[in-house]
Amino acid sequence: MGASTMVWSRQEVADRILAGDTLVVYNGQLLRIPQAWLNAHPGGSLAILHFVGRDATDEIDAYHSQDAMRKINMFCVGTVETSPYGWAPFLPPVMSGWIRKQASDGSFTWHHEATAIPASNLSSETLLVPNHTPGTKQHQSGGPSLSHLIPPPSNLSLEVQAQHSAAYKQLHERIIKAGLYQTRYLSGYGPEIARYLFLAFSSAYAYSNNWLITSAVCLGFLWHQLVFTVHDLGHMGVTHDWNIDRLLAIFLADFIGGLSVGWWVDNHNVHHLVTNHPSHDPDIEHLPFLAISTAFFNSLWSTYYKRAMTFDRFSAFLLSLQHKLFYILMAFGRFNLYANAYGFLLRKAFDHRKAKGGRWSWWLEVTGVAFFWCWFGALLRGCGSWKMALAYLLTSHLVTSPLHVQIVLSHFAMSTDDLGPTESFPHRQLRTTTDVICPPYLAFLHGGLHLQVTHHLFPRLPRHNLREASVLVKQFAREQGLSYAEFGFIGGNRAVLGVLKAVAEQARILGTVAENGIQGAMKKVH
């Protein structure tokens, strides 16, 4: 589809969205994303669906290479009428609980998977709950109406958010001109490859000498370190070529680590785009074990996992202890990654939609996971006894737990409010993300990803350039009057535990009230 000169009115855009078109605004152009590309999008379909009816210019520029951007005109169907401060956004249908599903005859129809409810603390915040939740509207048929596309009132100024967006574009140009998208293969990855080889040979040498716990520790540290490069490859931040980066990522993540990079990319891109939203960000959806907001007490619907996150007496009990169980849960974080990764691969086995890479990447990942369990299973069998095998398994996995703690530090203590589609990309990322202060000589322990604010603003930026880029980002934040959050590792842990404890206390109170209500009802019966 070539570029069109048609000028679309706001009403015309709304009408086409309600008719089922996937329309996104980019630099004043209107892009119509066909279903075939929605299925094939390397970042997953939700990454697009969360921006239907919105201006996604900053997000598109941040996530796509110049080569990818050259193809964007094929989706252009014209331009849109804008105000002096840009496009006034609609609320994407997925954010009000509406999605398109394919019927048995191949056609797509609207399906109302969840009901939107306003949060009590902010009029602009919208949460989703399952349709069968008591007190909510029942299942609606036919499709969304114009009222579903109108976002709730917002306290944000479209003019101010447009200023932030314009300044972000200038910042992005400075990043590009500074050469910070150039990968530091020798000075950046050279020391890391040496570290990987040292840990691998140390683990093998210790194992051959029957120093099994030492071997397990070295193997765990190897997995811990490899994750950072897999992260870069998943963002196309190494060679910047999708096929090469994906092949390398599958080798490191699946064959050596036993995880699925396909699952990680699908999950992680959504996290970046709707950071800390209780109904949409899979990285904060951990009920019944963890909740960083009392919003989860509403038994929310997850648009990523496609299930209800039920808050019941069992959840209330676990959440009341979450600040005490936090480090125990983090210690077993890698097992949770296995569950999510293998569930994703299983679902994709029955998914007829062809994502980029066709089926070869899925088959290669399945082969990689099988290969991993063959060689790792052989290590466990060679430990001599089931007790030692269990010790080797637990030690190697527990050693990776600091990585899981580090990941949550950057978001768990930050805002989970939804300020609506009016909020600009830079405003949202600075509000929901924080850095962990770390001296340069210890940066390898964090893989350089302690600079999460800059990473969230420029996800494709090579990891070894984040520190230099963060200087420019801090200047940008000062000039725009935005907060750039950062704290030390210990302070960050205290902040997260404080949030978990506050939510735990509310869960304990609700659990007590529910228990008293049940006992009162039983007394009336008798």
Side-chain angles (χ1 to χ4, degrees):
M1 182 183 300
S4 170
T5 59
M6 178 180 175
V7 179
W8 291 67
S9 69
R10 184 172 171 79
Q11 184 62 50
E12 288 172 329
V13 172
D15 290 342
R16 292 313 307 164
I17 291 174
L18 295 176
D21 283 355
T22 302
L23 301 179
V24 177
V25 176
Y26 173 75
N27 273 335
Q29 298 177 306
L30 187 65
L31 308 181
R32 180 183 179 276
I33 313 300
Q35 187 65 45
W37 181 247
L38 195 64
N39 295 341
H41 185 235
S45 60
L46 273 178
I48 296 176
L49 294 178
H50 279 302
F51 288 88
V52 171
R54 298 173 60 182
D55 188 330
T57 302
D58 293 338
E59 289 83 354
I60 290 175
D61 286 342
Y63 276 86
H64 297 83
S65 65
Q66 290 300 314
D67 289 339
M69 295 307 298
R70 294 188 185 99
K71 304 175 183 177
I72 204 165
N73 279 340
M74 65 187 296
F75 301 128
C76 181
V77 292
T79 59
V80 293
E81 295 177 352
T82 60
S83 72
Y85 308 119
W87 174 258
F90 288 115
L91 185 70
V94 70
M95 289 188 168
S96 61
W98 290 94
I99 61 169
R100 303 274 291 173
K101 279 192 172 183
Q102 189 170 15
S104 57
D105 61 358
S107 63
F108 282 83
T109 57
W110 285 110
H111 176 75
H112 196 230
E113 66 175 2
T115 298
I117 60 171
S120 58
N121 60 332
L122 280 175
S123 59
S124 61
E125 185 172 8
T126 301
L127 303 172
L128 293 180
V129 295
N131 287 318
H132 56 75
T133 299
T136 63
K137 296 179 181 179
Q138 295 302 308
H139 177 79
Q140 301 180 34
S141 60
S145 63
L146 182 60
S147 63
H148 291 101
L149 300 183
I150 304 302
S154 173
N155 294 325
L156 297 178
S157 163
L158 185 59
E159 177 182 3
V160 172
Q161 296 304 308
Q163 291 173 357
H164 292 331
S165 179
Y168 170 78
K169 291 178 176 62
Q170 295 176 357
L171 171 63
H172 202 169
E173 286 298 319
R174 293 178 66 189
I175 295 286
I176 294 172
K177 290 179 179 178
L180 296 180
Y181 273 101
Q182 301 299 316
T183 303
R184 298 180 179 179
Y185 292 110
L186 186 60
S187 61
Y189 287 105
E192 292 201 2
I193 292 174
R195 193 179 305 125
Y196 300 158
L197 293 175
F198 171 77
L199 290 171
F201 283 122
S202 296
S203 179
Y205 180 78
Y207 190 90
S208 66
N209 285 277
N210 208 35
W211 306 334
L212 297 182
I213 298 302
T214 301
S215 173
V217 169
C218 291
L219 180 58
F221 276 130
L222 175 63
W223 288 336
H224 171 275
Q225 290 290 299
L226 284 177
V227 164
F228 301 127
T229 297
V230 173
H231 173 276
D232 302 344
L233 293 164
H235 278 296
M236 287 178 57
V238 181
T239 71
H240 312 293
D241 179 281
W242 188 90
N243 289 297
I244 297 175
D245 279 0
R246 182 53 60 92
L247 280 170
L248 292 172
I250 291 175
F251 173 71
L252 296 179
D254 299 72
F255 282 77
I256 298 180
L259 300 174
S260 164
V261 69
W263 159 75
W264 179 85
V265 169
D266 189 78
N267 174 289
H268 194 66
N269 283 337
V270 175
H271 157 68
H272 266 271
L273 293 168
V274 286
T275 310
N276 268 22
H277 193 297
S279 289
H280 306 303
D281 182 359
D283 276 12
I284 65 168
E285 297 176 342
H286 302 298
L287 232 59
F289 301 104
L290 291 171
I292 62 172
S293 169
T294 55
F296 288 101
F297 295 174
N298 292 288
S299 292
L300 301 179
W301 176 264
S302 168
T303 55
Y304 181 82
Y305 291 112
K306 301 300 180 187
R307 61 174 173 80
M309 297 175 285
T310 305
F311 178 77
D312 51 20
R313 291 174 62 191
F314 178 66
S315 301
F317 171 72
L318 288 181
L319 294 184
S320 69
L321 302 172
Q322 65 176 355
H323 55 300
K324 300 178 180 179
L325 299 175
F326 174 65
Y327 293 109
I328 296 176
L329 292 172
M330 292 299 101
F332 292 92
R334 193 171 183 87
F335 294 101
N336 181 56
L337 299 185
Y338 289 141
N340 285 321
Y342 302 159
F344 173 84
L345 291 175
L346 183 62
R347 291 192 301 274
K348 287 299 177 182
F350 302 99
D351 191 347
H352 65 279
R353 299 176 300 177
K354 299 297 189 294
K356 181 174 179 178
R359 301 299 291 175
W360 70 260
S361 60
W362 181 86
W363 278 109
L364 191 58
E365 287 209 73
V366 172
T367 302
V369 169
F371 177 82
F372 167 80
W373 285 109
C374 284
W375 73 258
F376 186 63
L379 284 184
L380 297 180
R381 288 192 299 272
C383 288
S385 69
W386 71 266
K387 291 182 179 179
M388 185 53 69
L390 180 61
Y392 194 98
L393 172 70
L394 293 178
T395 301
S396 61
H397 284 63
L398 296 183
V399 165
T400 67
S401 61
L403 170 66
H404 306 291
V405 174
Q406 173 200 330
I407 291 172
V408 304
L409 289 187
S410 297
H411 301 290
F412 270 27
M414 301 301 288
S415 172
T416 58
D417 294 333
D418 172 21
L419 302 188
T422 300
E423 185 176 25
S424 66
F425 174 65
H427 188 280
R428 182 171 60 255
Q429 299 306 332
L430 284 162
R431 179 175 60 84
T432 58
T433 310
T434 182
D435 282 356
V436 177
I437 299 172
C438 173
Y441 64 88
L442 288 179
F444 77 94
L445 293 175
H446 298 275
L449 291 178
H450 57 291
L451 300 170
Q452 277 287 298
V453 175
T454 300
H455 170 61
H456 265 250
L457 288 172
F458 304 101
R460 291 185 299 108
L461 204 65
R463 177 164 43 91
H464 306 101
N465 297 334
L466 289 177
R467 182 174 293 276
E468 187 175 347
S470 69
V471 176
L472 300 177
V473 172
K474 288 180 179 179
Q475 180 182 345
F476 159 81
R478 289 193 299 268
E479 292 172 350
Q480 294 300 306
L482 298 171
S483 298
Y484 187 110
E486 55 183 352
F487 43 45
F489 187 78
I490 295 177
N493 275 267
R494 288 174 178 167
V496 168
L497 289 175
V499 169
L500 295 177
K501 184 177 181 180
V503 175
E505 291 174 348
Q506 293 297 315
R508 179 179 56 80
I509 293 172
L510 286 179
T512 301
V513 170
E515 183 66 27
N516 291 339
I518 293 173
Q519 292 179 0
M522 292 178 66
K523 289 180 180 178
K524 290 181 180 180
V525 172
H526 294 290

